[in-house]
Amino acid sequence: MTDAPAIAASLATAHESQARRVLKRFVHHHLALVGGCVVLALCLAALFAPAIAPHDPIRLDTSFRFLAPFQNPAYLLGTDELGRDTLSRLLYGGRISLTVGLVAMATTVLTGAVIGIVSGYLGGWVDTVLMRFVDTMLCFPQVFLLLVVAAFVPPTLLSISLIIGLTSWMEVARIVRSEILHLKQQDFVQAARALGAGGGRIMFRELLPNTMAPILVAATLKVAGAVLMESYISYLGYGVQPPLASWGNMLTNAQGYFDTVPWLAILPGVMITCTVMGFNFLGDGLRDALDPRLRMEG
Amino acid sequence: MTGTAVARGAITGSGEPAQAAAGEPLLRVEDLQVRFRTAAGILPAVDGVGFELRSGETLGLVGESGSGKTVTSLALLRLLESPPAEIRAGRVLLEGRDLFTLGEREMADVRGRDASMIFQEPMTSLNPVLSVGYQIAEPLVRHLGMSQAAARARTVELLEQVGIPNPARAAADYPHRLSGGMRQRVMIALAIACKPKVLVADEPTTALDVTIQAQILALLVDLQQALGMSMLLITHDLAVIAETAHRVAVMYAGRIVEIAPVEAIFGAPRHPYTKGLLRSIPRIERTRESMLPEIPGTVPSLAALPPGCAFVDRCPRALERCRTDRPELAAMGHGHRASCWNPADA
């Protein structure tokens, strides 16, 4: 432990920020990089859908029904049973799917993190009550829970997102709670208390930032889960309602023609697969890049 | 403690510490009793500790591991986890206000503003994911109601005051980029940010190198004089006490056995335990062959303390009475008190 001069020197020479080192390790993780690129491309495509899409996604053109991909340059990925442009519908459907995915993820993370922190930090009967509630929620299969709630709540984009989010936060709560149980034993928590920090401040200002890595990882994985969930319930007819396009309800429409025009089912299926895999790879990569055991190394 | 000779030399440099500021006690601890409920039974970790801390004074609290020093210091700021800890009795008066009767919120206002604390482990006492500047600014905003901008400016001043080179740069840095000594300086900056009246320092130098220890102690003494703080310095290192304290309280098995001005403790200790502690300090002038004297026996378990004096089984001066009657702290003149039935001659 050399003091002042050596520190000053080390500060002056290699001032590499935390974020940059995480980024470096992330880039070295090839699968994660691929996942990140796919996610970025999907997000951009969804964001700029009105500019990219060659047609209005709900405009019917009955003279061009069941066009195969690349058959007609005006309808690059073909048309469906009502002559709607598949490419445009995929782009707009992506908007819906990603919006649902992100809003549901935000709901999940927010609910899960708050419950996990409060439960882990306060402990005692609060912890017991909250964790038994988590157990109860986990008893029901999520799809079943979703369908029951969706049967009572009119399906809008927001309600679907919230329903998905509020039925999948339990895992996040458990992850955060276990992190907090470990973190609250650390000296810096007592040091913060010794300087006058109260419970709320310690939970949300001191402890929460320390759990960001696992929360971030869980968040990306939850987006994938939510996109899939939206597809399930739209496929079952409780989700996004026609004529609005979502990848899930495009699959529903396609099932009647699966033996004759399989591309109508394959294309939204591929999009769902790409999105889910992209977010999963991204999450895995983030997990490795943010691992605190690796963080300490140069 | 190889630091003794160094530390002894350093006293003369920083002026005679014995000139304690007189006046009303700022902090007064009365009959503090803390016990722990454990699977092994109820352990009386602190049993009837009382002392006073005057304004501008440094009181050293010495003792072996497990003697109750840290529990005492944590109990003062009500930082003990309860359960298992339980404060059974006692009062802690800070400027006449009993901290044990305050509500949790009022107590949080006291911590960091009127009394703050620094800890033994600088490596883990700072939040690893928040910048140094953010952590120091927090109590400023919270206790003093400063604006973010004012707090940031003050943070840089504070870092400069605790001797951190390039303070503006350090404020933006994260704790893991700083050495142990630098982190302890940051902890000190945090603790003094709101100019507390009392600073509790729990083994502030134990985890540091000897050379850094001397720097940190010198910094604490400087800051104490500059800010007029009172300091409760907890340590098991007598060299540290000799260098910084005005008065010394010696703890053994959860009780204060002797309390006196620093020169009386080192010059004329009255309690046999204090005498034994002082004899077991290695000295440079001691010849190689002579053994380092130690106190025979071990500290009794808190679960099975003898009814009389806790030190009786290790004491060379023990009387029959020591086994049955517990000695209380008794005045021995000149602010010197010891709890012993057969004290050594002055």
Side-chain angles (χ1 to χ4, degrees), chain B residues 279-297:
Chain B
R279 255 205 310 275
S280 61
I281 299 174
R283 283 172 208 285
I284 284 179
E285 61 267 26
R286 183 172 281 129
T287 53
R288 210 159 182 221
E289 293 76 38
S290 68
M291 294 281 285
L292 186 61
E294 57 176 48
I295 305 175

Side-chain angles (χ1 to χ4, degrees), chain B residues 159-199:
Chain B
L159 287 172
E160 189 158 25
Q161 201 177 357
V162 297
I164 288 190
N166 204 345
R169 181 77 163 269
D173 238 322
Y174 286 85
H176 74 273
R177 300 188 49 84
L178 303 175
S179 70
M182 284 294 144
R183 286 192 214 187
Q184 197 60 298
R185 285 175 192 267
V186 170
M187 277 306 298
I188 293 171
L190 255 165
I192 64 161
C194 301
K195 297 200 174 80
K197 299 175 193 93
V198 178
L199 179 66

Side-chain angles (χ1 to χ4, degrees), chain A residues 18-27 29 32 179 209-220 282-297, chain B residues 129:
Chain A
Q18 180 78 40
R20 185 174 301 182
R21 259 179 298 145
V22 169
L23 190 68
K24 207 188 209 169
R25 258 203 310 276
F26 181 74
V27 170
H29 196 297
E179 284 284 312
N210 276 287
T211 59
M212 277 330 268
I215 287 181
L216 204 60
V217 173
T220 47
L282 183 65
D284 283 345
L286 280 179
R287 186 183 351 241
D288 293 347
L290 293 170
D291 190 317
R293 277 161 301 181
L294 300 171
R295 195 191 295 175
M296 291 305 151
E297 295 165 12
Chain B
V129 300

Side-chain angles (χ1 to χ4, degrees), chain A residues 1-4 7 11-12 14-16 18 21 187-188 190-191 193-196 201 205-206 209-210 295, chain B residues 79 108 111-112 119 121 124-130 134 138 142-143 169 173 176-177 180 182 190 209 215:
Chain A
M1 245 182 283
T2 47
D3 216 33
I7 293 304
L11 278 178
H15 191 84
E16 193 187 21
Q18 180 78 40
R21 259 179 298 145
D187 292 345
F188 72 83
Q190 189 168 56
R193 281 182 70 208
L195 294 169
R201 184 169 297 260
R205 291 254 193 112
E206 299 275 340
N210 276 287
R295 195 191 295 175
Chain B
L79 289 170
R111 295 187 196 119
F119 294 90
E121 282 296 336
T124 53
S125 293
L126 290 166
N127 194 325
V129 300
L130 301 177
Y134 179 91
E138 185 129 318
R142 163 157 163 68
H143 288 306
R169 181 77 163 269
D173 238 322
H176 74 273
R177 300 188 49 84
M182 284 294 144
L190 255 165
D209 282 358
Q215 292 177 13

Side-chain angles (χ1 to χ4, degrees), chain A residues 92-170:
Chain A
Y92 277 89
R95 286 190 128 185
I96 303 274
S97 292
L98 287 175
T99 307
V100 171
L102 293 174
V103 174
M105 176 272 281
T107 315
T108 298
V109 166
L110 225 61
T111 318
V114 169
I115 290 186
I117 288 179
V118 170
S119 184
Y121 183 74
L122 295 181
W125 66 268
V126 179
D127 185 36
T128 311
V129 169
L130 287 175
M131 282 304 113
R132 290 305 77 77
F133 179 52
V134 166
D135 292 342
T136 314
M137 290 290 288
L138 283 170
C139 283
F140 302 102
Q142 196 190 353
V143 179
F144 173 74
L145 211 57
L146 273 174
L147 292 181
V148 171
V149 181
F152 292 104
V153 181
T156 65
L157 215 51
L158 186 67
S159 72
I160 294 167
S161 308
L162 289 181
I163 291 170
I164 295 176
L166 291 175
T167 50
S168 57
W169 53 267
M170 293 79 79

